[in-house]
Short mmCIF file of all heavy atoms in Angstrom, two decimals:
data_model
loop_
_atom_site.label_atom_id
_atom_site.label_comp_id
_atom_site.label_asym_id
_atom_site.label_seq_id
_atom_site.Cartn_x
_atom_site.Cartn_y
_atom_site.Cartn_z
N PHE A 280 2.06 2.20 5.61
CA PHE A 280 1.36 0.93 5.94
C PHE A 280 2.30 -0.28 5.80
O PHE A 280 1.86 -1.41 5.87
CB PHE A 280 0.12 0.76 5.06
CG PHE A 280 -0.79 1.97 5.18
CD1 PHE A 280 -0.72 3.01 4.24
CD2 PHE A 280 -1.66 2.10 6.24
CE1 PHE A 280 -1.49 4.15 4.38
CE2 PHE A 280 -2.47 3.24 6.37
CZ PHE A 280 -2.41 4.27 5.42
N ASP A 281 3.60 0.01 5.60
CA ASP A 281 4.56 -1.06 5.32
C ASP A 281 4.67 -2.08 6.40
O ASP A 281 4.93 -3.27 6.17
CB ASP A 281 5.94 -0.46 5.08
CG ASP A 281 5.99 0.30 3.76
OD1 ASP A 281 5.06 0.15 2.96
OD2 ASP A 281 6.98 1.06 3.54
N SER A 282 4.45 -1.68 7.66
CA SER A 282 4.60 -2.61 8.80
C SER A 282 3.30 -3.45 8.94
O SER A 282 3.26 -4.33 9.84
CB SER A 282 4.84 -1.86 10.08
OG SER A 282 3.72 -1.05 10.37
N GLY A 283 2.29 -3.19 8.14
CA GLY A 283 1.05 -3.89 8.29
C GLY A 283 0.00 -3.08 9.07
O GLY A 283 -1.22 -3.27 8.96
N GLU A 284 0.50 -2.16 9.87
CA GLU A 284 -0.43 -1.25 10.59
C GLU A 284 -0.18 0.17 10.12
O GLU A 284 0.84 0.48 9.48
CB GLU A 284 -0.24 -1.36 12.10
CG GLU A 284 1.07 -0.81 12.58
CD GLU A 284 1.21 -0.95 14.11
OE1 GLU A 284 0.63 -0.18 14.88
OE2 GLU A 284 1.93 -1.90 14.51
N ALA A 285 -1.11 1.07 10.43
CA ALA A 285 -0.94 2.49 10.05
C ALA A 285 0.09 3.10 11.00
O ALA A 285 -0.11 3.06 12.22
CB ALA A 285 -2.28 3.20 10.16
N GLU A 286 1.18 3.62 10.43
CA GLU A 286 2.23 4.17 11.26
C GLU A 286 2.49 5.61 10.85
O GLU A 286 2.67 5.93 9.67
CB GLU A 286 3.53 3.37 11.03
CG GLU A 286 4.68 3.93 11.82
CD GLU A 286 6.00 3.20 11.61
OE1 GLU A 286 6.04 2.26 10.79
OE2 GLU A 286 6.98 3.52 12.29
N VAL A 287 2.47 6.53 11.83
CA VAL A 287 2.70 7.90 11.54
C VAL A 287 4.19 8.12 11.40
O VAL A 287 4.94 8.07 12.37
CB VAL A 287 2.07 8.83 12.60
CG1 VAL A 287 2.29 10.32 12.23
CG2 VAL A 287 0.59 8.53 12.78
N ILE A 288 4.64 8.35 10.17
CA ILE A 288 6.07 8.54 9.87
C ILE A 288 6.47 9.96 10.14
O ILE A 288 7.57 10.24 10.59
CB ILE A 288 6.33 8.18 8.37
CG1 ILE A 288 6.05 6.73 8.10
CG2 ILE A 288 7.72 8.60 7.92
CD1 ILE A 288 7.06 5.78 8.71
N HIS A 289 5.53 10.90 9.87
CA HIS A 289 5.90 12.32 9.99
C HIS A 289 4.61 13.13 10.20
O HIS A 289 3.68 13.00 9.45
CB HIS A 289 6.62 12.78 8.71
CG HIS A 289 6.84 14.27 8.66
ND1 HIS A 289 7.89 14.87 9.30
CD2 HIS A 289 6.18 15.25 8.01
CE1 HIS A 289 7.87 16.20 9.08
NE2 HIS A 289 6.82 16.44 8.30
N TRP A 290 4.66 13.96 11.22
CA TRP A 290 3.67 15.03 11.35
C TRP A 290 4.48 16.28 11.70
O TRP A 290 5.15 16.34 12.74
CB TRP A 290 2.71 14.70 12.50
CG TRP A 290 1.85 15.87 12.92
CD1 TRP A 290 1.22 16.77 12.12
CD2 TRP A 290 1.61 16.32 14.28
NE1 TRP A 290 0.58 17.72 12.87
CE2 TRP A 290 0.78 17.45 14.20
CE3 TRP A 290 1.97 15.83 15.51
CZ2 TRP A 290 0.35 18.14 15.36
CZ3 TRP A 290 1.49 16.50 16.65
CH2 TRP A 290 0.73 17.63 16.57
N GLY A 291 4.53 17.19 10.74
CA GLY A 291 5.37 18.39 10.92
C GLY A 291 5.43 19.15 9.66
O GLY A 291 4.45 19.31 8.93
N ALA A 292 6.64 19.69 9.35
CA ALA A 292 6.79 20.58 8.19
C ALA A 292 6.41 19.93 6.88
O ALA A 292 6.55 18.70 6.71
CB ALA A 292 8.28 21.02 8.13
N ASP A 293 5.95 20.72 5.99
CA ASP A 293 5.58 20.24 4.63
C ASP A 293 6.78 19.66 3.95
O ASP A 293 7.84 20.27 3.91
CB ASP A 293 5.01 21.44 3.83
CG ASP A 293 4.49 21.01 2.49
OD1 ASP A 293 4.43 19.77 2.22
OD2 ASP A 293 4.08 21.86 1.71
N LEU A 294 6.62 18.43 3.42
CA LEU A 294 7.73 17.74 2.81
C LEU A 294 7.78 17.85 1.29
O LEU A 294 8.62 17.25 0.63
CB LEU A 294 7.69 16.26 3.18
CG LEU A 294 7.75 15.95 4.72
CD1 LEU A 294 7.63 14.44 4.95
CD2 LEU A 294 9.04 16.47 5.28
N GLY A 295 6.85 18.64 0.73
CA GLY A 295 6.81 18.70 -0.75
C GLY A 295 6.08 17.48 -1.28
O GLY A 295 5.74 16.57 -0.53
N ALA A 296 5.90 17.47 -2.60
CA ALA A 296 5.03 16.45 -3.20
C ALA A 296 5.69 15.07 -3.24
O ALA A 296 5.02 14.04 -3.18
CB ALA A 296 4.62 16.89 -4.61
N THR A 297 6.97 15.03 -3.33
CA THR A 297 7.66 13.74 -3.59
C THR A 297 8.29 13.19 -2.31
O THR A 297 9.09 13.85 -1.67
CB THR A 297 8.75 13.91 -4.66
OG1 THR A 297 8.19 14.69 -5.70
CG2 THR A 297 9.19 12.58 -5.20
N LEU A 298 7.94 11.96 -2.02
CA LEU A 298 8.52 11.31 -0.85
C LEU A 298 9.55 10.29 -1.32
O LEU A 298 9.39 9.68 -2.38
CB LEU A 298 7.48 10.59 -0.03
CG LEU A 298 6.40 11.42 0.62
CD1 LEU A 298 5.38 10.52 1.36
CD2 LEU A 298 7.02 12.41 1.62
#
Side-chain angles (χ1 to χ4, degrees):
F280 305 96
D281 290 348
S282 64
E284 68 181 281
E286 176 180 6
V287 182
I288 296 289
H289 171 81
W290 166 45
D293 185 5
L294 300 177
T297 316
L298 294 178

